[in-house]
Amino acid sequence: MAIDSIIFYFFAISTVLSAASVVTVRNPVHAALFLVLTFFTTACLWMLLEAEFLAITLILVYVGAVMVLFLFVVMMLDINIARLREGFIRFLPVGIALALIMFGLIYKVVSDNQFSLESMAAPVAKAADYSNTKELGKVLYTEYVFAFEIAAVILLVAIIAAISLTLRRRPGTRYQNPSEQMKVRKQDRLRIVKMEAEKQ
Amino acid sequence: MKDIIATFVSYLPEWMQYFWPEWFQYLISNVVLALIILLPLFIVVAYYTFAERKVIGYMQIRVGPNRVGPKGLFQPFADMFKLMFKEIIIPTNANRYLFLIAPVLAFAPAMAAWAVIPFNDTLVFSDINAGLLYILAMTSLGVYGVIIAGWASNSKYALLGAMRSAAQIVAYEIAMGFALVGVLMAGGSLNLGDIVNSQAGSVYNWFFIPLFPLFMVYFIAGVAETNRAPFDVAEGESEIVAGFHVEYSGMTFAVFFLGEYANMILISLLTSLLFLGGWLSPFPSLMGDSILWLFLKTGFFMLLFLWFRATFPRYRYDQIMRLGWKVLIPVTIVWLLVEGIAVYYKVGPWFA
């Protein structure tokens, strides 16, 4: 077996197992950590596809930042697992129906008539100095520049919305103003008085 | 390395070659290459801890460790053996697996990042063209060790330390990433070797001149990312005992320690590669480009880490957040704009 296949099967199996664990483990922190593992192994699979920019960005953005905040929240919350599981049987039919619909749709999109080797040839391996990052940057800022800009604007709106939703002004709260604290000089606060020594 | 092993295998009798398939040769050669980088790193880490105690000792008019061996030179080994033979205590109700896996998660990315570091034009383990991105990704993984350690310890102080560390690292990583964007705009590449070579010429071509604010931001964010003083609120001895690693003892603690110091050396090395021309010589007429220059520059930044610790009092937590979000990030964004204009109009010797 070639080393590529060994690496592929190793990461593929761990991706599937950890993804299954995300929804089956009881502890929410463990579930979040399994999600991290799923992202990581997926990134390794993308790396095998020579998509190094996407693979590293997946680790950098999702594993390095998004999931850290997720874990942060999950660890702070006091989640009652028993109460979360109460409606399991009641919602099971809806869940199964949804899962089947999802599976059908994905199957339709990723089926043989779309992505079979006849309709889409395997990509040719690129030379060693081929930079995935450069190529992506070129198309992103020329052909797809409007879509890119629109995505950026939507994200900006979402950021502002999130901040304004959570911003509460509570009257009477005292805040420290660091720039004022920094501006304080010795002569504003301290007065050195010269006085004669008292005689005993 | 692979050639050496292939030759070695071809000399073996035929029945023994069966046990050396290609993937196994590949594995062996890579492991040996990794050890060539990591073993010296461990020795540097060991003596960095010794240097830390000595340097801070002299700064505080003490002598520092001077009992084990001549001038105390064997102190790191004494520390190492002490930690190796200490009992590993697992707290009651701690999450056993996560508790033990956390030090590994802190340590492994710190080591993995060294794979793409070039030491001179040819001496590089893995010369990938997205090296800078890889480094960013690996250094951003280190936070998991801290968070998981804090949570799995089942201790208030550890959890508080982990929470502080998570918020701090996420905040400073943005500033750090933006500073690196400036470097890649100036260098025109994500490959670390190409970035160093694009600074060739003289000292005036080094990136710390046109990118001075980014250079400052990068090093400050680097100090914060490694949880070192004055940003060491994740440990904060006076407030939360020892933060995330309060429950760790023996070898598990030593692994955290190793990871932290390896990260400090990595940040120092990266700062000299990205902003100070790496192995390029500042006085080309006096002495040519050499790996020694790289070590000298790295050593200077390593000394700065220690100097900071001896000099600055610990930041208050809200001020750390303020510095990260309201000072460092705006500075980098403004400077990226300035740099963008400079690159567009091909200003000076740097962007021509």
Side-chain angles (χ1 to χ4, degrees):
Chain A
M1 200 156 33
I3 188 150
D4 286 11
S5 329
I6 298 176
I7 296 173
F8 171 77
Y9 282 112
F10 176 72
F11 284 119
I13 291 168
S14 16
T15 307
V16 173
L17 287 184
S18 53
S21 306
V22 174
V23 286
T24 49
V25 291
R26 284 168 171 269
N27 191 325
V29 173
H30 290 182
L33 287 174
F34 271 118
L35 190 55
V36 170
L37 184 62
T38 317
F39 281 139
F40 191 83
T41 49
T42 314
C44 293
L45 287 178
W46 288 1
M47 195 74 92
L48 273 183
L49 289 173
E50 300 181 11
E52 81 270 2
F53 179 76
L54 288 179
I56 296 175
T57 314
L58 180 70
I59 291 184
L60 186 60
V61 176
Y62 282 91
V63 178
V66 174
M67 286 313 293
V68 173
L69 296 177
F70 248 82
L71 266 179
F72 192 95
V73 173
V74 170
M75 283 177 182
M76 298 287 254
L77 294 178
D78 186 23
I79 299 173
N80 190 339
I81 304 163
R83 264 192 60 201
L84 275 181
R85 304 220 154 216
E86 256 174 18
F88 185 72
I89 299 292
R90 199 151 58 90
F91 295 121
L92 193 61
V94 187
I96 290 176
L98 265 180
L100 283 178
I101 293 171
M102 288 279 283
F103 181 79
L105 285 176
I106 293 172
Y107 185 77
K108 184 88 185 98
V109 176
V110 202
S111 62
D112 256 8
N113 53 12
Q114 302 274 352
F115 286 102
S116 66
L117 278 179
E118 288 86 51
S119 52
M120 197 165 277
V124 191
K126 298 287 193 294
D129 60 342
Y130 173 80
S131 172
N132 196 301
T133 318
K134 206 174 231 169
E135 296 301 315
L136 258 175
K138 270 184 192 159
V139 254
L140 207 57
Y141 288 101
T142 53
E143 245 179 272
Y144 301 109
V145 69
F146 288 119
F148 183 75
E149 296 280 323
I150 289 170
V153 170
I154 292 174
L155 276 177
L156 184 67
V157 171
I159 292 172
I160 295 170
I163 292 174
S164 62
L165 277 177
T166 50
L167 188 70
R168 286 183 299 162
R169 282 190 199 286
R170 277 178 296 177
T173 320
R174 288 169 185 248
Y175 289 107
Q176 283 161 331
N177 186 347
S179 56
E180 248 168 49
Q181 290 179 326
M182 298 291 285
K183 263 185 261 166
V184 167
R185 291 285 165 269
K186 192 171 86 181
Q187 49 269 33
D188 302 339
R189 296 208 167 161
L190 185 73
R191 192 162 56 93
I192 295 177
V193 187
K194 267 215 167 10
M195 56 189 291
E196 293 291 310
E198 302 251 342
K199 278 178 191 149
Q200 290 280 343
Chain B
M1 193 41 140
K2 211 186 156 206
D3 300 339
I4 298 171
I5 293 191
T7 332
F8 165 71
V9 170
S10 65
Y11 283 123
L12 291 175
E14 202 164 326
W15 63 271
M16 278 175 82
Q17 288 185 14
Y18 179 75
F19 295 103
W20 291 75
E22 200 191 355
W23 65 266
F24 190 66
Q25 293 178 26
Y26 202 75
L27 192 72
I28 296 264
S29 60
N30 277 326
V31 166
V32 171
L33 278 173
L35 285 180
I36 290 174
I37 295 179
L38 293 185
L39 285 182
L41 178 66
F42 289 154
I43 294 173
V44 174
V45 166
Y47 276 94
Y48 193 23
T49 61
F50 176 67
E52 172 166 35
R53 295 168 68 179
K54 273 286 189 196
V55 167
I56 293 181
Y58 284 126
M59 283 178 180
Q60 296 167 346
I61 325 182
R62 298 182 282 118
V63 259
N66 65 345
R67 294 286 146 177
V68 192
K71 306 250 173 210
L73 271 172
F74 298 147
Q75 184 69 40
F77 295 101
D79 291 342
M80 190 183 72
F81 285 120
K82 184 195 83 173
L83 285 170
M84 270 161 76
F85 291 115
K86 266 188 144 179
E87 185 188 356
I88 295 171
I89 297 163
I90 297 176
T92 18
N93 289 332
N95 192 313
R96 202 185 168 81
Y97 295 106
L98 287 182
F99 185 80
L100 290 177
I101 218 170
V104 181
L105 283 177
F107 176 73
M111 296 296 121
W114 286 85
V116 296
I117 300 286
F119 293 95
N120 64 28
D121 265 332
T122 48
L123 197 63
V124 47
F125 179 40
S126 174
D127 193 16
I128 65 173
N129 57 24
L132 202 55
L133 267 178
Y134 174 83
I135 296 260
L136 254 185
M138 283 304 131
T139 47
S140 73
L141 285 182
V143 65
Y144 279 101
V146 175
I147 297 184
I148 292 173
W151 183 78
S153 300
N154 191 29
S155 151
K156 288 187 201 84
Y157 297 120
L159 187 65
L160 278 174
M163 291 297 146
R164 285 177 171 200
S165 170
Q168 178 185 329
I169 288 184
V170 168
Y172 280 81
E173 208 168 72
I174 300 171
M176 199 178 207
F178 274 139
L180 293 184
V181 168
V183 173
L184 81 92
M185 275 165 73
S189 171
L190 280 169
N191 181 299
L192 290 166
D194 289 350
I195 288 173
V196 172
N197 285 329
S198 65
Q199 303 177 51
S202 64
V203 180
Y204 301 109
N205 291 56
W206 292 0
F207 287 156
F208 80 99
I209 297 173
L211 306 180
F212 191 73
L214 299 184
F215 168 54
M216 284 297 169
V217 168
Y218 181 78
F219 193 64
I220 294 171
V223 176
E225 284 257 303
T226 44
N227 286 326
R228 290 292 298 182
F231 301 101
D232 60 343
V233 288
E235 291 170 33
E237 296 90 345
S238 53
E239 302 153 23
I240 48 173
V241 197
F244 64 93
H245 58 52
V246 64
E247 304 290 349
Y248 283 86
S249 63
M251 211 51 211
T252 50
F253 171 75
V255 170
F256 270 120
F257 206 70
L258 258 176
E260 179 178 326
Y261 279 75
N263 266 332
M264 285 158 66
I265 300 172
L266 183 76
I267 294 287
S268 310
L269 191 71
L270 279 175
T271 315
S272 36
L273 278 177
L274 300 175
F275 295 98
L276 290 182
W279 55 82
L280 301 176
S281 164
F283 315 108
S285 52
L286 210 67
M287 186 183 157
D289 304 340
S290 149
I291 192 169
L292 292 176
W293 287 117
L294 180 62
F295 290 155
L296 193 71
K297 291 165 188 171
T298 309
F300 172 69
F301 287 108
M302 283 161 66
L303 177 69
L304 278 189
F305 268 97
L306 311 182
W307 199 347
F308 285 168
R309 187 174 157 192
T311 310
F312 297 125
R314 185 175 300 130
Y315 258 97
R316 215 171 62 200
Y317 192 72
D318 62 317
Q319 292 194 347
I320 288 190
M321 284 296 138
R322 177 177 162 272
L323 180 71
W325 289 104
K326 292 189 177 172
V327 180
L328 297 188
I329 293 177
V331 165
T332 51
I333 291 176
V334 168
W335 204 256
L336 282 184
L337 194 72
V338 172
E339 196 193 346
I341 295 168
V343 170
Y344 187 77
Y345 289 107
K346 302 194 189 312
V347 175
W350 312 295
F351 306 115

